[in-house]
């Protein structure tokens, strides 16, 4: 409260002094007869020199205190002209900025008052225009003049910072006095008048870590070795006070958040001295074993750590990589492990910073080491063959049961379980081999032929006896060794030609041989003639010793008339142990050749024709043969045309023909004189009569069982059967047609119904059975149903 009272007293005294000063200045008279430095002469019409008139009153600059809140208007100043005698004839007029609103003038006395409170920070000065006129006529007595009213400043605005909050960074471990940030405040008061705008900065919060320069506002570090890992963020409050920081001044504050940035001042450190890990011996290379982590309180690139294995008996078995996301060292398996060989390993792992700051190298080595112990766990492993693959050899044609080779596998586990062997039959479909399940001996089951299959590739399984799921597989390649069991033969089906006029020792063909056996059993072929024809008078053989032989003519002159074909046996032997040979026959034809040795003809018959007939005779014979053939063709063609009616007649139904025979009498029994089947349609013999009025769409086969037996005596059944066949015939037209039944029955118990026979012979037959034949035989049954006795009158 005391400070508030002092401020009010100070302001009141200041205002009173300013008012006195302003009143004194405004009432001071200035000499208006003072010549103007800017005057100049003007010439009138008659050459009279005219002088610019001087204003008759002068004015001074006026001042008014801002923020004045007194009960009466503030007297700003007084305007007065020398020509004013005080009789009230002069009228003062005020115009310009704020005239009549802010500033009013007493038109008689010239006193100017401010009717409103002024704010210098809103407007520092006003420009007004004053003029003295005659009150009665309003005639200007003086030229208008401008003057300025300045608003006198008072300390009514506190300092304000550009930002309410500042954020700044400074590296940790910075030296004392390191500049962090500069804060700036502004004061709306007049900096040219008094100390209202003279600011002084001070720190209210943030000591003893930081300080601020009083005049510039620069914040600096105040403590050495500030550690980011201990405290990363600081909140500092800075004050700016006017009046030079003296009592009574106004102030403003701002907050500054200062963050310590990281530097690499901490080495990595393992939290423990030994790590324990374990891995199964069944693990594959590249599999993760475990992880280690060295802690580094630094962040960013300053906290990056790389790991490496620098020592230990597991350097060759393990490797370590860095997971930069988690900053961990990942221990991985490098090679396959064997529990039975080595059960544990020891590693010495080092963690080191990637980036090192030379300023803090004295803080010690930026790395740390730790011991990693890895134990190998036993795993149930499948059997292991002693070799990754096997290659055996066996001779072809070896007897069944011949041993090819032996495979061997063992259980790598400490239990050393017994092993059983088997052959994958998918690789031995023909079952050439068998394996002993106990010892792994592979034997043949059947003879092998190298010329058929030179290599057999099979697979052998090894399975633990007590753990069938543990098995191993190994490829076995069996080579069939060649045996000289194939004799050489001609490489092709040779057929040689020799000219009739061939010269002695003339070569006319070169032959070669082929052998299915391996080249080791036939490196060179030997050609020769059989001993019985070694002195063949016609041909001889020469072995070229390059697996070929040449056949030569031994004598001169051959004749196709005497012999046009020769068969020359040739013996071919190979170089195998023991050697094999075969006799191959070379066919040699005798041909006619021209003088240059070119073949003309190898046909003996043609040769004979040429010898007996001329070319003209041969042409005449051929012409006659052609003419005869043409005549025969024409004759056959004409004959076929004449026979066409006969062919149509033959296609007619046999039943339409007249059958003549010489046997008389007998009635129905007369049919026994010939085969009744001839009266039937030949196509109906088999039970099917094709329709001739339409073309059948498909062959109709009568249903079995519907056709009565040929010797059936039931004519009614026969007729019903035929009617049913006709009704069910799919090839029949949709209208009635005549059906012909060429069967009348055979061997009827009723005998003949001929009237001739009944007239001469008494009949004691009973015809009552006709009643059972159906309605078609009703009338006949009525006639013969009762027995009548006739007396012979003769």
């Amino acid at each position: 409260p005391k400070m508030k009272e002092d401020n009010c007293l100070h302001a009141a005294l200041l205002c009173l002094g300013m008012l006195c000063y302003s009143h004194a200045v405004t009432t001071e008279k200035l000499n208006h007869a003072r010549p103007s430095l800017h005057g100049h002469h003007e010439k009138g019409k008659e050459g009279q020199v005219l002088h610019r008139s001087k204003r008759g009153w002068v004015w001074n600059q006026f001042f008014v205190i801002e923020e004045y809140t007194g009960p009466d208007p503030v007297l700003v100043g007084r305007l007065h002209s020398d020509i004013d005698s005080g009789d009230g004839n002069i009228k003062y007029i005020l115009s310009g900025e704020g005239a009549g609103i802010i500033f009013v003038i007493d038109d008689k006395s010239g006193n100017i008052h401010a009717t409103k409170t002024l704010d210098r920070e809103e407007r520092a000065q006003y420009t007004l225009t004053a003029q003295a006129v005659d009150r009665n006529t309003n005639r200007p007595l003086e030229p208008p003049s401008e003057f300025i009213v300045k608003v006198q400043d008072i300390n009514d605005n506190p300092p304000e910072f550009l930002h309410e909050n500042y954020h700044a960074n400074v590296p940790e471990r910075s030296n004392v006095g390191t500049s962090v940030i500069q804060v700036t405040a502004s004061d709306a008061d007049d900096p040219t008048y008094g100390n209202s705008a003279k600011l002084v900065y001070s720190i209210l919060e943030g000591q003893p870590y930081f300080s601020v320069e009083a005049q510039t506002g620069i914040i600096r570090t105040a403590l050495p070795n500030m550690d980011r890992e201990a405290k990363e963020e600081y909140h500092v409050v800075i004050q700016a006070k006017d009046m030079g920081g003296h009592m009574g001044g106004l102030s403003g504050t701002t907050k500054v958040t200062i963050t310590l940035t990281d530097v690499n001042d901490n080495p990595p450190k393992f939290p423990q001295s030994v790590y324990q890990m374990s891995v199964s011996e069944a693990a594959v290379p590249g599999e993760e074993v475990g992880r280690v982590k060295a802690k580094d309180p630094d962040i960013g690139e300053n906290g990056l750590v790389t790991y490496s294995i620098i020592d230990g008996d597991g350097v060759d078995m393990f490797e370590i990589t860095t997971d930069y996301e988690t900053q961990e060292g990942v221990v991985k398996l490098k090679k396959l492990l064997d529990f039975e060989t080595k059960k544990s390993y020891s590693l010495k792992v080092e963690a080191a910073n990637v980036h090192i700051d030379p300023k803090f190298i004295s803080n010690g080595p930026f790395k740390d080491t730790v011991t990693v112990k890895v134990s190998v766990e036993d795993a149930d492993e499948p059997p292991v063959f002693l070799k990754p693959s096997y290659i055996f050899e066996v001779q072809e044609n070896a007897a069944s049961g011949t041993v090819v080779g032996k495979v061997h596998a063992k259980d790598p586990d400490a239990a050393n379980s017994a092993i059983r062997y088997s052959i994958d039959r998918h690789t031995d479909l023909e079952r050439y081999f068998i394996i002993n399940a106990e010892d792994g001996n592979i034997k043949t089951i059947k003879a092998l032929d190298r010329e058929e299959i030179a290599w057999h590739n099979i697979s052998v399984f090894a399975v633990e006896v007590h753990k069938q799921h543990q098995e191993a597989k190994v490829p076995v390649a069996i080579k069939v060794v060649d045996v000289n069991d194939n004799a050489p033969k001609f490489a092709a089906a040779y057929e040689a030609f020799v000219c009739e006029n061939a010269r002695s020792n003339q070569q006319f063909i070169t032959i070669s041989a082929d052998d299915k056996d391996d080249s080791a059993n036939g490196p060179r072929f030997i050609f020769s003639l059989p001993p019985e024809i070694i002195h063949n008078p016609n041909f001889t053989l020469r072995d070229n010793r390059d697996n070929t032989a040449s056949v030569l003519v031994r004598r001169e002159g051959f004749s196709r008339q005497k012999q046009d074909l020769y068969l020359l046996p040739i013996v071919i032997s190979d170089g195998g142990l023991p050697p094999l040979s075969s006799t191959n026959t070379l066919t040699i034809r005798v041909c006619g050749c021209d003088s240059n040795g070119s073949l003309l003809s190898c046909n003996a018959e043609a040769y004979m024709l040429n010898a007996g007939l001329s070319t003209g005779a041969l042409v005449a014979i051929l012409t006659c043969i052609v003419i005869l053939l043409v005549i025969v063709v024409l004759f056959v063609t004409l004959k076929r045309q004449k026979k066409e009616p006969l062919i149509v007649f033959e296609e007619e139904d046999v039943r339409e023909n007249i059958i003549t025979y010489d046997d008389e009498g007998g009635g129905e029994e007369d049919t026994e004189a010939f085969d009744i089947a001839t009266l039937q349609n030949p196509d109906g013999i088999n039970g099917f009569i094709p329709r001739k009025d339409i073309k059948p769409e498909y062959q109709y086969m009568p249903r079995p069982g519907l056709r009565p037996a040929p010797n059936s005596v039931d004519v009614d059944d026969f007729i019903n059967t035929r009617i049913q066949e006709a009704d069910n015939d799919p090839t029949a037209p949709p209208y009635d047609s005549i059906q012909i039944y060429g069967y009348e029955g055979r061997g009827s118990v009723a005998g003949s119904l001929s009237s001739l026979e009944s007239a001469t012979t008494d009949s004691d037959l009973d015809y009552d059975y006709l009643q059972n034949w159906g309605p078609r035989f009703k009338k006949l049954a009525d006639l013969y149903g009762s027995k009548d006795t006739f007396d012979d009158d003769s």
Side-chain angles (χ1 to χ4, degrees):
K2 184 178 180 181
M3 181 180 295
K4 185 176 181 180
E5 293 177 357
D6 293 341
N7 291 336
C8 293
L9 180 60
H10 179 75
L13 294 174
L14 182 60
C15 291
L16 184 58
M18 293 301 297
L19 283 172
C20 296
Y21 173 78
S22 176
H23 182 70
V25 171
T26 55
T27 55
E28 181 181 357
K29 296 180 179 180
L30 297 179
N31 187 2
H32 63 277
R34 187 184 312 159
S36 174
L37 297 176
H38 303 285
H40 59 278
H41 300 279
E42 293 183 4
K43 292 184 178 180
K45 296 181 181 181
E46 298 179 357
Q48 182 181 359
V49 177
L50 300 177
H51 296 277
R52 181 183 297 273
S53 59
K54 305 291 191 296
R55 63 188 178 183
W57 60 279
V58 295
W59 58 274
N60 201 350
Q61 182 169 288
F62 299 145
F63 294 88
V64 61
I65 300 294
E66 68 170 334
E67 302 295 345
Y68 175 73
T69 58
D72 299 326
V74 179
L75 178 62
V76 176
R78 179 183 181 187
L79 296 179
H80 183 72
S81 176
D82 290 342
I83 63 174
D84 186 3
S85 60
D87 54 4
N89 292 326
I90 296 178
K91 180 181 179 181
Y92 295 97
I93 299 174
L94 184 65
S95 62
E97 297 173 347
I101 300 174
I102 299 176
F103 302 101
V104 295
I105 188 171
D106 187 345
D107 58 356
K108 292 182 180 180
S109 63
N111 291 334
I112 300 174
H113 290 81
T115 62
K116 293 183 178 181
T117 302
L118 301 181
D119 187 0
R120 189 202 67 84
E121 287 71 37
E122 181 180 347
R123 186 160 190 169
Q125 65 181 19
Y126 297 86
T127 302
L128 299 172
T129 301
Q131 189 174 19
V133 297
D134 187 89
R135 184 177 296 274
N136 297 321
T137 62
N138 286 330
R139 182 178 59 85
L141 302 177
E142 294 284 346
S145 297
E146 290 183 351
F147 65 95
I148 295 174
V149 176
K150 284 190 174 184
V151 181
Q152 188 68 46
D153 181 52
I154 62 172
N155 188 20
D156 59 343
N157 291 280
E160 292 183 359
F161 285 93
L162 298 180
H163 303 284
E164 185 178 355
N165 293 289
Y166 289 85
H167 294 274
N169 298 323
V170 65
E172 63 173 333
R173 307 285 181 183
S174 296
N175 297 327
V176 175
T178 301
S179 175
V180 179
I181 190 175
Q182 183 178 14
V183 294
T184 303
S186 61
D187 196 322
D189 294 327
D190 189 359
T192 63
Y193 177 76
N195 294 327
S196 297
K198 185 177 182 181
L199 304 181
V200 175
Y201 299 93
S202 62
I203 184 168
L204 300 182
E205 295 181 16
Q207 295 175 335
Y209 306 103
F210 300 95
S211 62
V212 63
E213 292 184 355
Q215 305 301 324
T216 62
I218 297 176
I219 301 174
R220 300 182 183 273
T221 58
L223 284 181
N225 297 324
M226 284 190 294
D227 191 3
R228 184 200 66 83
E229 289 72 34
K231 186 176 181 180
E232 183 176 8
E233 192 174 82
Y234 295 86
H235 298 283
V236 179
V237 178
I238 302 297
Q239 175 185 263
K241 191 175 184 181
D242 58 12
M243 299 299 294
H246 294 91
M247 184 177 297
L250 304 178
S251 64
T253 60
T254 186
K255 293 180 180 180
V256 183
T257 301
I258 300 176
T259 303
L260 298 183
T261 57
D262 185 63
V263 297
N264 191 11
D265 58 339
N266 294 281
K269 185 71 176 178
F270 285 105
Q272 59 195 67
S273 59
V274 178
Y275 283 87
Q276 295 286 347
M277 300 180 184
S278 61
V279 61
S280 173
E281 64 173 333
V284 297
E287 188 171 333
E288 182 178 329
V289 178
R291 294 188 173 214
V292 298
K293 184 175 183 179
K295 295 184 178 180
D296 191 334
D298 297 323
I299 60 174
E301 67 176 12
N302 297 318
L304 294 179
V305 178
T306 181
Y307 297 88
S308 60
I309 299 175
I310 60 175
D311 198 5
D313 57 0
V315 173
D316 296 332
M317 304 300 296
F318 301 92
E319 62 182 356
I320 190 169
T321 59
T322 303
D323 186 346
Y324 287 103
E325 292 185 1
T326 62
Q327 290 298 301
E328 293 177 319
V330 183
V331 180
K332 295 182 179 180
L333 185 62
K334 191 176 181 180
K335 295 181 181 179
L336 291 174
L337 300 173
D338 186 9
F339 173 80
E340 289 72 25
T341 303
K342 190 174 178 61
K343 298 179 175 58
S344 64
Y345 294 89
S346 178
L347 305 173
K348 188 175 183 180
V349 177
E350 180 184 81
N353 278 139
V354 177
H355 303 282
I356 298 177
D357 194 339
K359 296 179 181 179
F360 306 100
I361 195 68
S362 60
N363 288 10
F366 284 82
K367 57 186 176 180
D368 193 17
T369 58
V370 71
T371 300
V372 178
K373 292 184 178 181
V374 183
S375 60
V376 181
E377 297 178 350
D378 189 19
D380 188 10
E381 300 175 86
V384 178
F385 283 94
L386 299 185
K387 294 181 180 179
S389 63
Y390 292 86
I391 299 178
F392 300 130
E393 292 184 355
V394 62
Q395 286 190 342
E396 66 174 328
N397 303 327
S400 177
T402 302
V403 177
V404 177
K406 181 179 181 181
V407 297
H408 183 68
K410 67 175 183 178
D411 182 11
D413 298 324
N416 195 17
S417 301
I419 305 298
R420 293 292 181 270
Y421 302 93
S422 63
I423 294 177
D424 183 0
R425 287 305 170 189
H426 292 91
T427 60
D428 186 25
L429 297 176
E430 300 296 331
R431 294 185 175 272
Y432 286 101
F433 306 97
I434 191 173
I435 189 170
N436 190 307
E438 303 292 336
D439 58 14
N441 278 322
I442 301 175
K443 297 181 181 179
T444 60
I445 302 178
K446 60 175 73 172
L448 305 177
D449 187 1
R450 188 203 70 87
E451 287 70 42
E452 182 178 351
I453 303 177
W455 284 87
H456 294 267
N457 297 304
I458 64 174
S459 297
V460 176
F461 289 112
V463 182
E464 294 184 16
V465 175
H466 302 294
K467 298 176 182 178
Q468 298 295 326
H469 65 282
Q470 294 289 7
E471 68 176 13
K473 187 177 182 180
V474 69
V476 178
I478 302 174
K479 179 182 179 182
V480 181
V481 180
D482 184 51
V483 175
N484 192 21
D485 57 349
N486 290 279
K489 296 181 180 179
F490 277 157
Y494 293 107
E495 187 174 2
F497 303 92
V498 63
C499 295
E500 289 182 307
N501 57 357
R503 300 186 304 274
S504 179
N505 293 327
Q506 180 180 353
Q507 173 183 337
F508 59 89
I509 189 173
T510 299
I511 59 176
S512 61
D514 189 13
D515 194 338
K516 293 182 179 179
D517 293 323
D518 190 63
S519 60
N521 286 316
R524 193 182 74 81
F525 300 120
I526 301 173
F527 299 86
S528 64
L529 296 178
E532 60 271 17
I533 62 168
I534 190 68
H535 299 295
N536 188 308
N538 299 316
F539 306 101
T540 184
L541 183 71
R542 182 179 67 202
D543 192 340
N544 297 327
R545 299 183 179 277
D546 59 355
N547 292 332
T548 64
S550 300
V551 182
L552 298 87
V553 177
R554 173 167 285 186
R555 66 180 178 86
E556 294 184 358
F558 291 87
S559 174
R560 281 182 289 172
Q561 294 178 343
K562 294 181 179 181
Q563 185 174 353
D564 63 339
L565 183 68
Y566 293 89
L567 300 177
L568 180 65
I570 298 176
V571 178
I572 308 175
S573 302
D574 59 20
L577 294 176
L580 294 180
S581 63
S582 66
T583 301
N584 302 265
T585 302
L586 177 65
T587 301
I588 304 173
R589 293 187 180 276
V590 179
C591 302
C593 304
D594 58 12
S595 59
N596 296 326
S598 299
L599 293 178
L600 295 178
S601 175
C602 296
N603 194 334
E605 289 76 4
Y607 179 82
M608 294 174 65
L609 289 174
N610 289 334
L613 297 174
S614 64
T615 303
L618 290 175
V619 172
I621 292 173
L622 293 175
T623 304
C624 291
I625 292 172
V626 171
I627 292 173
L628 289 175
L629 290 175
V630 171
I631 293 172
V632 170
V633 171
L634 292 175
F635 177 76
V636 172
T637 303
L638 293 174
K639 189 175 182 179
R640 285 184 177 179
Q641 292 178 353
K642 291 180 179 181
K643 284 186 177 182
E644 286 182 358
L646 296 178
I647 295 175
V648 174
F649 178 77
E650 291 176 359
E651 290 180 355
E652 292 180 355
D653 197 334
V654 179
R655 291 169 294 183
E656 298 179 2
N657 299 332
I658 299 175
I659 306 299
T660 304
Y661 53 93
D662 296 333
D663 192 3
E664 296 181 359
E668 293 179 1
E669 297 297 334
D670 293 342
T671 59
E672 296 180 356
F674 60 93
D675 189 359
I676 192 65
T678 59
L679 296 178
Q680 300 175 354
N681 192 335
D683 296 331
I685 296 176
N686 295 328
F688 174 65
I689 303 175
R691 304 296 300 268
K692 295 188 178 182
D693 49 355
I694 63 171
K695 183 178 181 181
E697 295 181 0
Y698 59 90
Q699 186 68 27
Y700 170 72
M701 297 300 292
R703 291 181 297 174
L706 296 179
R707 183 172 180 256
N711 295 326
S712 174
V713 296
D714 193 347
V715 178
D716 187 38
D717 291 341
F718 173 81
I719 294 175
N720 290 331
T721 301
R722 289 299 184 180
I723 293 174
Q724 185 178 2
E725 288 180 359
D727 292 338
N728 296 327
D729 186 2
T731 63
Y735 49 83
D736 294 336
S737 60
I738 299 176
Q739 301 294 327
I740 300 173
Y741 305 100
Y743 177 68
E744 297 179 353
R746 177 177 297 177
S748 175
V749 294
S752 175
L753 299 178
S754 172
S755 60
L756 296 178
E757 183 177 359
S758 63
T760 57
T761 306
D762 291 335
S763 176
D764 297 328
L765 296 176
D766 184 6
Y767 297 100
D768 291 338
Y769 62 88
L770 293 176
Q771 301 289 342
N772 300 325
W773 281 21
R776 292 184 179 87
F777 295 92
K778 185 177 186 335
K779 188 172 184 61
L780 188 63
D782 294 339
L783 293 175
Y784 294 92
S786 62
K787 182 177 181 181
D788 295 330
T789 305
F790 298 92
D791 295 333
D792 190 8
D793 295 334
S794 56

